[in-house]
Amino acid sequence: MPTPGVSIPEEPRRRWPRFTEAALWWARNDVVAYVVFAVACTLAAASSFYGYMLVQTDGRWSAPLDDVFIHFDYARAWARGYPFQWSEGNGYSSGNTSVLYPVVLALGYLAGFRGPRLMLWAAAVACAGIVGCLVAARRLVDGATLWRGAPPRGAWKKYLLPPALLSLGALDWTLLSGMENALHLGVWGLCVALALRRPCGARAARRGAWWLGLAGAALVASRPESVVCVAAFGVFACWAFGRGAAGPSARWRGRAFVLAATLSPGAVLLLAQAAANRALTGEWMASGAISKLLPNNPFLTRSEIWERYDFLLHYIVDRLTEHHFTDDPRWAYLVPAVAAVPLVVRRTRPVALLLWSQVVLWLLLVALNHQLRWHNERYAMPAVAWLLLLAAMGFGELLARGRPGRLGAARRAGWSLRAATALVAAGTFWVHQRPNMRDQIWFFGRACRNVLDQHVTAGLLVRKLQARRVLVGDAGAITYSADLPGLDLIGLGGYRRYPFARSAVNGLGASFELIERIPPVERPDVMAIYPSWWGDLPTYFGQYVAAVPAPGNVICGGLEKVIYRADWTPLDRSGRPRTLRPGERVADELDVADLLSEREHGYRTVDCEAAAGEHVGHVAYRLLGDPAAGRRDLFDAGRRIAPGCADGAGAARTGAGRGRWRPAPDVASHAPQPALAGAWRRAARGARRALRAQLDAAG
């Protein structure tokens, strides 16, 4: 008996009764069937990666990246009532690039997923994000016209999306690593679903634009680079609104409203975050942007920035196409070629332009990150995911027969050629991707074991030492497993208003100057670092305790993580000039290379165009004898000032305001010799000597 409300043409009903029953079942259960299929594909990929991880780690949960534990640190602080803090008591930190992800992880921590089991919760979040993206992405291929109650014509194409998205080993590695990429992809899928809705009426369209804007804000909260995605969604929403508007005037007013509604929530979020950073850290930008982006390197000229940017952009395109997409460079552009097919088909062209614009803009933006080559190219993986979705759409279009009805001989031959081409392309891709998938699964498991063997073990050892605070060079698993206060030399962790991210860019000596400001009882008493990363740090300030190796290392920054007892006695305890003569007094103090002191005085270098490429202003440091206590070493840092350059400052901030900046002779140093002349002169007169500024009445 026919199903009420569903009309089946008489011809198929008489000729193919079983096909008719299948069509009816599909019409009733298509969405459920697709969701089940997406879940099955996701769990199959997850079981491959996590299963081999458990083999490598003897059944213990770990992560392939130490950076995953940075999220865990922030999540634990959230759960314990210290929001936006990497280490409890350190104060607000902007070092976590994803604002949303630690909150999601904190829910798992509160639910009982603590210690290494928080990775299990992260795996569940990753699977949920992948499934959410796949469910939302079905709108990319589902048509809007129903065939008399049956599924949309070509609805089978959406079943290509799950295997396509999960077919690339490097992308699976990233999505299942415990980083925020899977959550970001899930939120992106929500934006796609909202952007492709077809609301009835202008009022519903405006309301939908606000929902899209809120989803875009969540997308930016998961990864700040998503501003390019929000912009693309805004332009697409304007185009879609314009197609349904009544007249030109209403069309442009509606487009302006839709664009504002789509972009404003994300813009408000970014402005609020920048304002919070400025108020609580003294910097407008987040710590990650300061330490990673090429334009924030003060020692690179514009031409050098452009050269490195150009290198990274070409590197990531070549790395993706010639390494991750295939093991044979001859097939490097097979995936992009199939992904370009939706641009040719008129029906899919708008959606294809939406996704392609995001692929291109994302790669152009992340090429500014000098760490783009790290971590299995994870920064570029969102663009790879969108490209694979485009390839699935292109593959479906090549297989589709076109309009329903009987095909003529020419159309039948054309369809046969397209289908054969699609099948050959799919087979070629899998043949050359299968070795990469195998290697990525192995890489995932071994990296998890490396992090467990070295970082987690080092953290447990630090905890046994009953450390007060641990100094680390890479915030992550050490502080998480030790569950102790930490200090991150790179600056992603953050410590109150001390600009450690900025000091790491300027040079290690600037970080020591900031540690010198920290009260002795709060300074780290244990260090867990890679000696090769930090120059003379362990020689000047450390006493060897132990080394924690990473056998068969493939991911850690060094073969051994070395633990030291910290000894900060060479740091100056008074800051008083060693050569103060009778009758002299300190009117003001500028400690060059101390970023807080420099900020107070407006210190900067000038007239250095001729010294381009010589790292003018880079911080160097030394330990020399204390003139007041010859048997005691004393630390000081200074800046490299090349010939022809000058450095200068004004008066410090006072209640009457800030003094005028000027290169006064006692403040500015015109270096007669290159490189370390200024730093060596100051160190020879006694480390941390206060430079006396002659202030006139006008100040």
Side-chain angles (χ1 to χ4, degrees):
M1 183 175 180
T3 303
V6 177
S7 176
I8 301 297
E10 187 66 29
E11 189 70 14
R13 182 186 303 177
R14 184 177 65 250
R15 292 188 176 182
W16 304 294
R18 292 185 179 180
F19 171 79
T20 302
E21 294 298 326
L24 289 172
W25 182 90
W26 191 7
R28 294 190 297 265
N29 303 283
D30 180 52
V31 175
V32 175
Y34 176 74
V35 172
V36 171
F37 181 66
V39 170
C41 291
T42 302
L43 293 180
S47 63
S48 299
F49 280 81
Y50 293 135
Y52 187 68
M53 174 200 71
L54 294 175
V55 170
Q56 284 275 350
T57 61
D58 296 328
R60 293 173 292 175
W61 281 88
S62 182
L65 290 172
D66 181 63
D67 286 30
V68 174
F69 292 88
I70 298 179
H71 292 303
F72 290 2
D73 287 325
Y74 280 92
R76 181 174 59 190
W78 265 97
R80 292 177 176 177
Y82 296 90
F84 301 106
Q85 294 191 28
W86 165 66
S87 182
E88 299 162 27
N90 277 19
Y92 173 87
S93 171
S94 62
N96 195 301
T97 308
S98 178
V99 178
L100 180 62
Y101 190 48
V103 179
V104 176
L105 292 177
L107 298 177
Y109 192 91
L110 291 172
F113 293 90
R114 302 182 180 182
R117 296 183 70 245
L118 188 56
M119 182 59 195
L120 179 59
W121 175 260
V125 172
C127 292
I130 296 171
V131 172
C133 173
L134 291 172
V135 171
R138 67 188 177 90
R139 290 183 177 270
L140 296 173
V141 295
D142 265 354
T145 303
L146 295 180
W147 174 61
R148 294 187 179 183
R153 178 168 56 88
W156 57 269
K157 297 176 186 176
K158 62 175 171 286
Y159 289 88
L160 300 174
L161 297 176
L165 182 67
L166 298 169
S167 63
L168 197 75
L171 178 59
D172 294 353
W173 194 101
T174 300
L175 294 177
L176 300 171
S177 65
M179 295 298 290
E180 73 279 4
N181 297 80
L183 176 67
H184 173 260
L185 197 61
V187 179
W188 178 85
L190 175 62
C191 293
V192 168
L194 293 172
L196 298 182
R197 288 181 61 190
R198 295 191 176 182
C200 299
R203 186 174 182 180
R206 290 185 174 91
R207 185 167 58 250
W210 279 115
W211 282 112
L212 178 58
L214 292 175
L219 189 64
V220 173
S222 60
R223 283 300 305 181
E225 300 95 331
S226 300
V227 292
V228 297
C229 302
V230 175
F233 283 126
V235 173
F236 183 85
C238 287
W239 170 82
F241 183 89
R243 297 185 68 198
S249 178
R251 182 183 301 120
W252 287 109
R253 286 199 305 269
R255 283 177 171 176
F257 180 88
V258 167
L259 185 63
T262 305
L263 301 183
S264 56
V268 169
L269 175 66
L270 290 176
L271 291 175
Q273 189 175 7
N277 294 342
R278 180 65 175 179
L280 299 174
T281 68
E283 300 277 2
W284 288 105
M285 285 183 291
S287 298
I290 294 173
S291 61
K292 297 177 184 179
L293 298 186
L294 291 175
N296 289 328
N297 189 322
F299 309 119
L300 296 180
T301 63
R302 292 183 179 179
S303 61
E304 289 174 333
I305 292 174
W306 170 252
E307 289 174 3
R308 297 194 183 190
Y309 175 78
D310 183 65
F311 165 77
L312 289 173
L313 187 59
H314 283 83
Y315 165 84
I316 196 59
V317 172
D318 294 341
R319 181 72 171 177
L320 293 177
T321 55
E322 298 179 4
H323 176 73
H324 289 306
F325 288 173
T326 180
D327 64 346
D328 187 345
R330 292 178 299 175
W331 304 103
Y333 289 93
L334 179 62
V335 172
V338 178
V341 171
L343 293 172
V344 180
V345 181
R346 182 178 181 181
R347 182 174 55 84
T348 59
R349 190 175 300 146
V351 173
L353 287 172
L354 172 65
L355 267 64
W356 267 108
S357 65
Q358 296 186 38
V359 170
V360 174
L361 291 174
W362 187 276
L363 292 179
L364 290 175
L365 182 60
V366 298
L368 291 170
N369 185 346
H370 73 83
Q371 295 184 4
L372 180 62
R373 297 182 295 167
W374 298 6
H375 304 164
N376 210 16
E377 287 76 40
R378 69 176 181 89
Y379 293 103
M381 286 301 146
V384 173
W386 306 326
L387 196 65
L388 291 174
L389 293 178
L390 282 164
M393 294 172 58
F395 184 69
E397 293 301 324
L398 291 174
L399 287 180
R401 296 186 64 184
R403 297 178 180 179
R406 294 185 177 181
L407 299 178
R411 292 180 60 189
R412 190 160 48 244
W415 171 76
S416 300
L417 180 61
R418 287 189 287 109
T421 302
L423 294 176
V424 170
T428 302
F429 170 77
W430 179 241
V431 166
H432 293 286
Q433 179 57 214
R434 189 175 179 181
N436 288 358
M437 180 67 75
R438 182 191 61 239
D439 293 344
Q440 290 291 340
I441 293 174
W442 179 89
F443 181 30
F444 187 92
R446 176 57 64 88
C448 289
R449 194 185 83 183
N450 291 156
V451 172
L452 182 66
D453 289 346
Q454 187 176 92
H455 294 269
V456 175
T457 302
L460 296 175
L461 179 57
V462 168
R463 185 168 182 83
K464 288 183 179 180
L465 295 176
Q466 299 180 345
R468 178 178 62 245
R469 185 183 298 275
V470 56
L471 179 74
V472 295
D474 45 353
I478 294 177
T479 50
Y480 182 75
S481 57
D483 198 4
L484 293 171
L487 182 65
D488 177 23
L489 274 179
I490 294 180
L492 297 182
Y495 179 79
R496 299 178 184 172
R497 292 180 61 88
Y498 289 45
F500 276 100
R502 186 75 66 180
S503 68
V505 177
N506 279 266
L508 184 57
S511 299
F512 294 155
E513 290 280 358
L514 295 179
I515 294 176
E516 192 174 44
R517 281 178 168 265
I518 298 176
V521 294
E522 296 186 24
R523 291 174 185 166
D525 54 343
V526 170
M527 299 187 294
I529 59 173
Y530 294 117
S532 59
W533 285 22
W534 303 108
D536 295 326
L537 169 59
T539 304
Y540 287 173
F541 302 107
Q543 299 175 359
Y544 178 87
V545 174
V548 183
N553 179 40
V554 296
I555 198 68
C556 297
L559 181 60
E560 290 185 330
K561 176 77 70 173
V562 182
I563 299 175
Y564 302 89
R565 287 283 187 185
D567 179 11
W568 305 109
T569 53
L571 299 182
D572 193 2
R573 291 166 291 185
S574 65
R576 297 286 299 174
R578 272 30 179 205
T579 59
L580 196 64
R581 294 189 292 268
E584 292 182 332
R585 65 180 181 84
V586 177
D588 192 13
E589 177 184 351
L590 166 62
D591 190 1
V592 177
D594 181 340
L595 300 190
L596 291 177
S597 179
E598 291 181 350
R599 182 184 297 172
E600 292 173 356
H601 293 79
Y603 173 90
R604 64 180 184 270
T605 56
V606 294
D607 301 328
C608 294
E609 291 81 0
E614 298 187 24
H615 281 198
V616 174
H618 193 275
V619 173
Y621 61 93
R622 291 290 185 270
L623 280 189
L624 296 172
D626 186 350
R631 298 180 63 86
R632 179 177 179 269
D633 288 335
L634 201 58
F635 163 84
D636 191 27
R639 292 188 178 271
R640 303 182 181 191
I641 307 300
C645 294
D647 57 345
R653 297 179 186 271
T654 63
R658 183 171 182 170
R660 182 176 66 256
W661 185 92
R662 57 198 178 98
D666 288 342
V667 178
S669 57
H670 300 266
Q673 300 176 5
L676 291 173
W680 188 268
R681 184 177 63 253
R682 284 188 290 272
R685 292 178 181 175
R688 191 181 169 85
R689 178 177 179 180
L691 300 178
R692 297 180 294 277
Q694 299 177 354
L695 305 177
D696 52 26

